[in-house]
């Protein structure tokens, strides 16, 4: 037993020595990251130094890719100085903003894996897929083994601390956290390098589990899903209509899974449904047509956003992959990987091609087009904030698209409202509440649920009492009732077309139709003028009086249409005075 443990220790020392010898720069970067992270925790750094540590994984991946590409040939000189650009990057003032942006996440999550796959320049498809499996398996196993060792260390540490009574000591918690940092930033990467070296150039073979997954689950599901889209395409041809916009995301998922399944076929000896993957370029042709038709409809209706730009790019790469694999001569994963690397690098680092900027420009053009059609932009280019009128009720769809574009622009630029001359509103949501009457707001906000009501094109208006507004004492109505409730037997409510109010054991009733006519006549308004009247006139609408009582309403909501006239459908009472 003692000899076996010594053999294990000797084996680990040799493997670690090989990693240091073959990957000196990567090892040094891992040590730098571990030491910096521990210092950040122990010294309680609160400045940009913490963010700068996150640049270490980027250079670790770059150094590994250059190392694998260069080997021991003349390109090895580049590997020894690959860390030099790290110095000006760490001194760059904009590093913090870049690291917390999506550009850094895409660089580490997309460009680095693609670079690792490209670095060996492997044209053979089976070897290319095997390399990808080696990287993935090495990363998973390294993380798993490192964290199992960490868990055992933590268990021993805390158990010992509990048994001997020093579990509350600060150094125990600090040691446990430092061990976690060292494991994730030093132990796991070194294990990953060790396994990559061990399996470098190996041809992977699929296990029995992978055969079952591919042959009996994934492949039949993909064939069935493709058949469903064929039926949907036939339906579109018969009805001569456009596909719904959301079909683009579904077709993209189908083609992506098909290409993944085609790659995994390289690892299998028994291949059920091989014909499907061999002719996938032709089989997926109608699906790709559906994808581009759905994308075209989505973009034409809602414009481009950052996510839709990436969808377009991924759709282009998907189409390129199907074209490449239409022939066995051109079907190389290496070329597809190279094209993906170039395209994503251009999107991330060429300002003119930035998906975020493209989305902002598209949504700004959409905002201007819709706002001008609604007469919401004045001669100086400022947005016109005015209450919606009767005519606006028939343009719910345009208002919905207008506010959707404005919300996207505000999410990307906090100063958007100020740039279009809107002062005093902190959000598009608040602006929407201010501009739209209650029910029109519901139609714009909740969409198709209110589409059926738009056939009659009714208009909705509301009058609301300002805060802390009260009537002056009126000798003609000396009895005052306040804090009235809008429910129960001792309160008020609208029943049918009648306002019923229970006061001190008696019930007073008032016809809503007569109430509306009385208030419109008293204010000198017609139903069409109600939407554009001034604040003083709206306050007169809220103040009702007759021979028996005087009512001050807190809120009144009206529905006006050509067929029913002007109808009161909601009211809230602030106070009542009686004789």
């Amino acid at each position: 037993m003692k000899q076996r443990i010594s053999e294990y220790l000797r084996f680990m020392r040799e493997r670690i020595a090989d990693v240091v010898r073959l990957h000196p720069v990567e090892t040094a970067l891992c040590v730098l990251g571990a030491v910096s992270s521990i210092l950040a925790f122990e010294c309680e750094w609160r400045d940009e130094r913490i963010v700068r540590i996150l640049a270490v994984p980027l250079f670790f991946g770059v150094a590994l890719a250059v190392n694998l590409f260069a080997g021991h040939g003349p390109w090895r000189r580049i590997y020894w100085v690959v860390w030099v650009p790290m110095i000006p990057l760490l001194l760059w003032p904009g590093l913090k903003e870049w690291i917390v942006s999506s550009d850094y996440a895409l660089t580490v999550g997309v460009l680095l894996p693609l670079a690792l796959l490209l670095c060996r320049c492997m044209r053979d498809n089976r070897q290319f897929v095997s390399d990808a499996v080696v990287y993935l398996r090495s990363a998973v196993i390294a993380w798993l083994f490192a964290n199992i060792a960490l868990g055992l260390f933590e268990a021993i540490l805390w158990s010992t601390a509990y048994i001997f009574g020093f579990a509350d000591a600060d150094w125990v918690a600090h040691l446990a956290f430092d061990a976690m940092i060292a494991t994730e930033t030093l132990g796991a990467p070194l294990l990953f390098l060790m396994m990559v070296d061990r399996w470098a150039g190996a041809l992977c073979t699929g296990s029995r589990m992978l055969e079952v997954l591919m042959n009996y689950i994934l492949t039949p599901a993909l064939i069935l899903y493709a058949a469903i889209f064929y039926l949907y395409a036939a339906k579109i041809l018969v009805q001569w209509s456009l596909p719904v916009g959301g079909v683009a995301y579904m077709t993209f998922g189908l083609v992506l899974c098909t290409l993944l399944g085609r790659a995994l076929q390289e690892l299998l000896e028994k291949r059920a449904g091989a014909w499907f993957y061999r002719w996938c370029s032709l089989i997926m042709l109608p699906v790709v047509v559906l994808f581009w038709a759905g994308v075209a409809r989505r973009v034409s209706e809602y414009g481009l956003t950052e996510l839709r730009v990436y969808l377009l790019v991924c759709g282009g790469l998907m189409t390129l992959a199907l074209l490449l694999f239409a022939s066995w001569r051109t079907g190389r994963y290496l070329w597809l990987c190279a094209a993906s690397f170039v395209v994503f690098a251009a999107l991330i680092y060429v300002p003119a091609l930035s998906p975020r900027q493209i989305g902002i420009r598209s949504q700004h053009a959409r905002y201007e087009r819709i706002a001008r059609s609604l007469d919401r932009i004045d001669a100086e280019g400022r947005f016109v904030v005015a209450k919606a009128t009767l005519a606006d009720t028939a343009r719910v769809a345009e208002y919905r698209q207008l506010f959707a574009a404005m919300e996207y622009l505000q999410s990307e630029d906090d100063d958007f409202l100020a740039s279009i001359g809107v002062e005093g509103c902190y959000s598009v949501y608040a602006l929407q509440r201010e501009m739209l009457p209650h029910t029109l707001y519901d139609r714009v906000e909740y969409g198709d649920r209110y589409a059926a009501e738009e056939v009659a094109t009714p208009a909705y208006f509301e009058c609301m009492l300002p805060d802390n507004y009260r009537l002056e004492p009126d000798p003609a109505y000396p009895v005052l009732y306040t804090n009235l409730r809008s429910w129960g037997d001792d309160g008020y409510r609208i029943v049918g077309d009648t306002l019923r109010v229970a006061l001190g054991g008696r019930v007073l009733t008032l016809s809503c139709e007569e109430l509306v006519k009385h208030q419109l006549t008293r204010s000198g308004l017609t139903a069409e003028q109600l939407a554009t009247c001034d604040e003083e006139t709206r306050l007169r609408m809220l103040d009702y009086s007759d021979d028996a009582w005087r009512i001050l309403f807190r809120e009144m909501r009206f529905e006006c249409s050509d067929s029913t006239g002007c109808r009161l459908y909601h009211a809230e009472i602030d106070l009542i005075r009686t004789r």
Side-chain angles (χ1 to χ4, degrees), residues 27-157:
T27 304
L29 289 171
C30 289
V31 173
L32 175 63
V35 172
S36 300
S37 300
I38 292 174
L39 286 176
F41 170 67
E42 295 294 342
C43 300
E44 298 183 352
W45 289 351
R46 293 291 183 267
D47 54 16
E48 295 183 0
R49 287 178 291 181
I50 299 177
V51 178
R52 296 179 190 278
I53 297 173
L54 297 177
V56 174
L58 172 63
F59 280 90
F60 174 85
V62 172
L64 178 59
V66 174
N67 191 0
L68 296 176
F69 174 77
H72 296 283
W75 292 97
R76 189 71 175 176
R77 300 173 184 175
I78 299 178
Y79 168 72
W80 289 108
V81 295
V82 72
W83 55 272
V84 173
M86 187 175 182
I87 298 176
L89 181 66
L90 292 177
L91 299 177
W92 178 38
L95 178 63
K96 178 181 178 180
E97 289 73 18
W98 178 65
I99 284 183
V100 299
S101 69
S102 60
D103 290 346
Y104 178 78
L106 289 171
T107 300
V108 175
V110 177
L111 292 185
L112 275 185
L114 291 175
L116 289 176
L117 292 174
L118 287 171
C119 63
R120 298 191 66 228
C121 303
M122 191 58 61
R123 294 184 57 188
D124 181 70
N125 281 344
R126 185 179 179 186
Q127 185 63 63
F128 188 94
V129 174
S130 296
D131 289 345
V133 172
V134 165
Y135 292 140
L136 180 61
R137 183 170 60 185
S138 299
V140 172
I141 294 178
W143 181 85
L144 183 63
F145 282 9
N147 282 276
I148 288 176
L150 173 65
L152 294 174
F153 173 79
E154 297 274 358
I156 295 173
L157 174 65

Side-chain angles (χ1 to χ4, degrees), residues 42 60 79 210 234 242 294-295 314 321 331-332 348 381 428 440 500 547:
E42 295 294 342
F60 174 85
Y79 168 72
L210 182 61
L242 289 173
V295 167
C314 293
R332 295 289 181 268
I348 296 172
V428 174
L440 181 57
R500 301 172 60 88
D547 295 337

Side-chain angles (χ1 to χ4, degrees), residues 528-569:
E528 291 77 9
Q529 295 172 332
L530 181 59
T532 57
C533 65
D534 56 26
E535 189 67 26
E536 184 178 352
T537 306
R538 286 176 181 255
L539 288 177
R540 286 202 298 271
M541 288 290 298
L542 296 169
D543 186 3
Y544 172 84
S545 60
D546 59 16
D547 295 337
W549 55 0
R550 186 176 182 182
I551 307 175
L552 180 64
F553 290 94
R554 185 182 302 111
E555 181 179 350
M556 300 177 75
R557 297 178 186 173
F558 305 91
E559 178 187 58
C560 300
S561 65
D562 296 336
S563 58
T564 61
C566 194
R567 181 179 69 87
L568 176 68
Y569 71 91

